[in-house]
Amino acid sequence: MSDATANAGVQRPVAYRGGGFAPSPRRWVGFVVFAVLVVLAEWGTRSGWISPLTLPKPSDVLDTFGDLYKSGLLFQHLVPSLSRLFMGALIGISLGVVIGILIGLFSYVRAGMVPVVAAIFPIPKIALLPLFVIWFGIGEGSKYALIAFGTFTPTVVATYGAVDNVDRTLIRMGQSFGLSWWSIVRKIVLPGAMPGILSGLRISLAIAIILLVAAEMLGAEFGIGAYILEAGSLYDLERLFAGVVILSVLGVFVSVAVGLVERRLLGWRT
Amino acid sequence: MDIQMKSVSHFYGSTEVLRDISIDIPTGKVVCLVGPSGCGKSTLLRFIGGLERPTQGEVLQLGEPPEGSLNPLTYVFQDFALLPWRSVRGNISLVLEDHGIRGEKANRIIQDVLARTKLSDFENALPKQLSGGMKQRVAIARALAVKPAVMLMDEPLSALDAQTRELLMDDLVALWTRQPFTAVYVTHNLAEAVRLGHKVVVLSRRPGRVREVVEIDTPLTERTTGDPELEKVQNKLWNLMRDEARAADEELVNV
Ligand SMILES: Nc1ncnc2c1ncn2[C@@H]1O[C@H](COP(=O)(O)OP(=O)(O)OP(=O)(O)O)[C@@H](O)[C@H]1O
Ligand SMILES: [Mg+2]
């Protein structure tokens, strides 16, 4: 260090090796990826490089969608689907959050419920559809039940994990100030578990959309799922894809909505 | 309200953590607890705060807490323990809400404690926006809001850098001078102990016993860094601690 002349000629900047691992918003990238995929499919199907039996032309799918919209059928399908999604997810997620919190707070509930949840988590809920039809009838009841059941388990698991992760020193603090049990749960445990609950919500809602199609397999005249299933059984690929695109868009909307809620509720995070 | 510990002993499983501890904490005085790592200082503080029970002996509360004390035994934590989702004001109102204090009455208390800790301008800031020293001042403000009879401080300044620590010590002295409070102050830092303590209790290594009690008569406001009298006390404390600390350090290897 002291002998500067000895090191002359080896001057260079320190190699940079930091950065990364910090996602930051890049809004346009998502759109570009979508656009490239669609353009590729359009170009492939037009030039015959992709046969029309493999993939419908995106422009045809768009036309089908336009027809659907103009005939007013779109909303006839969308409204019942959305209400099933909403009711089913509402029931499943609220029950799931409540049970998850109880598991997080009470050792007996944990000992009793965790194995039960582990047992029902891997059951393919679609397999139980006939059972739900027997229990809740062929009407809306069985559809709500299927979606509720499917969203319940992931919500429970996410919620009790989130409660377990609440900083214990904050709870001790609450106790040391003489806060009541209920205050501690409401003002410390719940907000502290909110990040985990909301990331569980993302998964649960995606599962709800998946189950929507299954729920509409039986006895549904209208609904996006019914529409897709009908198109599928006729090998009407344009309509099938139009339906699938609606579900995808629904998924994106849900994800954006959860993102907004997160930003609103979790602004305190660094 | 005084606190009296009468031959407190404690075991965690078969490990003896504390042995026959008797300490008096008189009203209006700051009692510092020093001792090597793992000797049971935090455990002792949890007994005083009623968060845990000793295996033997008892912790007594002599006399009634002063009128209007909402939470007689109040903690100040090393890691601040602020709710990150509540603003400075929200963190203070948290501990008032459960006592049914809301609205104008709560507002008056909050304004008062914020002024006393020089935080009035940061009422609406979130903890993530504050520096470590400010966070600890919020925690102190929160403790003051419930009008404690005894403040239980577990290494409140350990997470802070040396300069901030000096400033906060001055703040604590100023707070105490304005309105003397009773405190049990756990620390590793002997400089803090001689700066803030009216009485310094030196604990031995585990199982913790009272090794010595050193009274410091110099009034808090007259204590300056470099005061030969205090230096002497600090040296004495360090000599008491050194062997214990070294022995404790070597013991860990055999665990
Ligand atoms: N809940 C517990 N269960 C079992 N052992 C514990 C528990 N809490 C503390 N101990 C043990 O008791 C001893 C005293 O712990 P304590 O935290 O009171 O020490 P301390 O003096 O505060 O140490 P430090 O200076 O490191 O904060 C330690 O050996 C610790 O491992
Ligand atoms: Mg400790």
Side-chain angles (χ1 to χ4, degrees):
Chain A
M1 282 298 242
S2 56
D3 194 2
T5 48
N7 290 330
V10 286
Q11 204 181 53
R12 60 187 159 143
V14 171
Y16 177 65
R17 48 190 172 168
F21 301 99
S24 55
R26 298 271 188 274
R27 274 169 208 290
W28 42 270
V29 177
F31 292 109
V32 171
V33 171
F34 264 117
V36 167
L37 286 178
V38 170
V39 166
L40 216 63
E42 182 73 32
W43 171 71
T45 41
R46 264 179 207 275
S47 65
W49 171 62
I50 302 173
S51 89
L53 276 178
T54 332
L55 203 70
K57 243 192 283 178
S59 52
D60 286 349
V61 173
L62 194 68
D63 286 343
T64 317
F65 189 77
D67 291 344
L68 197 62
Y69 178 74
K70 266 180 266 165
S71 63
L73 273 174
L74 176 63
F75 291 100
Q76 231 167 349
H77 286 300
L78 207 53
V79 170
S81 281
L82 285 181
S83 77
R84 282 167 196 147
L85 203 59
F86 178 79
M87 285 303 293
L90 186 71
I91 297 169
I93 288 169
S94 2
L95 271 180
V97 168
V98 170
I99 299 287
I101 287 175
L102 293 178
I103 290 177
L105 293 176
F106 300 107
S107 308
Y108 275 105
V109 181
R110 173 179 304 244
M113 285 301 290
V114 169
V116 174
V117 170
I120 57 179
F121 207 162
I123 299 175
K125 311 299 179 292
I126 300 162
L128 296 182
L129 190 56
L131 194 66
F132 286 136
V133 171
I134 296 170
W135 287 355
F136 302 104
I138 191 103
E140 296 300 294
S142 58
K143 298 176 181 62
Y144 294 164
L146 183 73
I147 295 173
F149 200 51
T151 50
F152 172 73
T153 35
T155 310
V156 171
V157 172
T159 305
Y160 83 72
V163 172
D164 288 350
N165 273 327
V166 174
D167 190 350
R168 297 294 120 166
T169 60
L170 294 182
I171 295 177
R172 292 279 166 274
M173 182 278 292
Q175 290 176 322
S176 80
F177 276 96
L179 266 59
S180 68
W181 182 86
W182 178 232
S183 280
I184 290 176
V185 171
R186 211 156 37 96
K187 297 173 187 170
I188 299 178
V189 175
L190 259 185
M194 205 40 90
I197 294 178
L198 284 182
S199 61
L201 198 66
R202 270 179 201 280
I203 296 170
S204 305
L205 286 174
I207 290 177
I209 296 175
I210 294 174
L211 287 176
L212 182 64
V213 178
E216 291 175 346
M217 272 192 332
L218 279 179
E221 194 186 342
F222 291 108
I224 306 295
Y227 177 81
I228 292 175
L229 290 168
E230 192 195 276
S233 60
L234 298 172
Y235 283 88
D236 185 344
L237 290 190
E238 279 87 21
R239 288 175 61 199
L240 180 88
F241 266 78
V244 169
V245 167
I246 295 174
L247 289 185
S248 295
V249 170
L250 207 58
V252 172
F253 272 140
V254 164
S255 164
V256 168
V258 175
L260 287 179
V261 172
E262 274 181 345
R263 230 176 332 149
R264 177 104 182 69
L265 288 183
L266 306 181
W268 50 269
R269 282 194 304 191
T270 36
Chain B
M1 187 181 89
D2 296 3
I3 299 283
Q4 192 175 47
M5 266 175 274
K6 280 169 87 175
S7 36
V8 167
S9 302
H10 192 68
F11 290 82
Y12 279 121
S14 58
T15 333
E16 187 176 17
V17 182
L18 291 166
R19 182 185 293 173
D20 197 25
I21 305 266
S22 299
I23 303 174
D24 284 335
I25 298 141
T27 309
K29 302 283 177 207
V30 178
V31 175
C32 289
L33 288 179
V34 298
S37 194
C39 74
K41 304 181 293 293
S42 301
T43 311
L44 209 53
L45 212 59
R46 285 200 292 275
F47 295 155
I48 304 175
L51 293 179
E52 238 175 279
R53 284 199 204 100
T55 328
Q56 273 165 39
E58 48 189 355
V59 181
L60 298 176
Q61 191 176 311
L62 306 182
E64 289 302 312
E67 191 70 29
S69 173
L70 300 173
N71 189 47
L73 304 167
T74 298
Y75 268 91
V76 175
F77 296 86
Q78 177 175 0
D79 53 2
F80 323 128
L82 300 176
L83 301 185
W85 51 86
R86 284 194 177 219
S87 64
V88 169
R89 151 181 283 277
N91 266 287
I92 300 173
S93 77
L94 172 81
V95 298
L96 298 173
E97 286 159 13
D98 262 49
H99 297 283
I101 297 177
R102 283 156 212 281
E104 195 39 47
K105 201 170 164 210
N107 195 35
R108 232 174 317 131
I109 296 178
I110 293 170
Q111 296 306 338
D112 172 51
V113 295
L114 287 180
R116 277 158 74 187
T117 48
K118 296 181 267 175
L119 284 167
S120 299
D121 294 342
F122 303 97
E123 193 178 326
N124 297 312
L126 285 174
K128 70 170 179 186
Q129 299 170 292
L130 303 176
S131 68
M134 283 213 268
K135 282 186 203 157
Q136 195 55 292
R137 293 219 305 270
V138 177
I140 293 170
R142 177 177 63 187
L144 292 173
V146 291
K147 305 211 165 50
V150 182
M151 288 238 249
L152 307 171
M153 310 173 99
D154 194 353
E155 307 193 30
L157 307 186
S158 298
L160 307 172
D161 62 89
Q163 291 86 323
T164 315
R165 195 146 57 201
E166 284 293 328
L167 293 174
L168 265 179
M169 270 196 271
D170 288 345
D171 288 345
L172 283 175
V173 169
L175 272 176
W176 187 89
T177 322
R178 231 186 95 168
Q179 198 179 73
F181 52 84
T182 316
V184 184
Y185 188 107
V186 170
T187 180
H188 273 132
N189 186 321
L190 298 180
E192 278 174 40
V194 297
R195 185 78 211 285
L196 298 171
H198 295 98
K199 184 152 110 174
V200 181
V201 178
V202 183
L203 296 177
S204 69
R205 65 179 189 271
R206 201 178 63 201
R209 276 154 296 160
V210 177
R211 183 84 209 267
E212 186 137 349
V213 179
V214 179
E215 308 259 356
I216 307 175
D217 295 326
T218 325
L220 290 194
T221 38
E222 288 165 29
R223 298 186 189 180
T224 49
T225 36
D227 182 326
E229 202 57 37
L230 295 180
E231 295 264 301
K232 230 165 49 196
V233 178
Q234 193 173 336
N235 265 330
K236 179 176 166 193
L237 290 174
W238 173 228
N239 284 330
L240 283 170
M241 288 261 304
R242 182 161 40 205
D243 301 336
E244 297 291 342
R246 187 176 295 138
D249 204 34
E250 277 155 15
E251 242 168 38
L252 292 180
V253 184
N254 308 326
V255 168

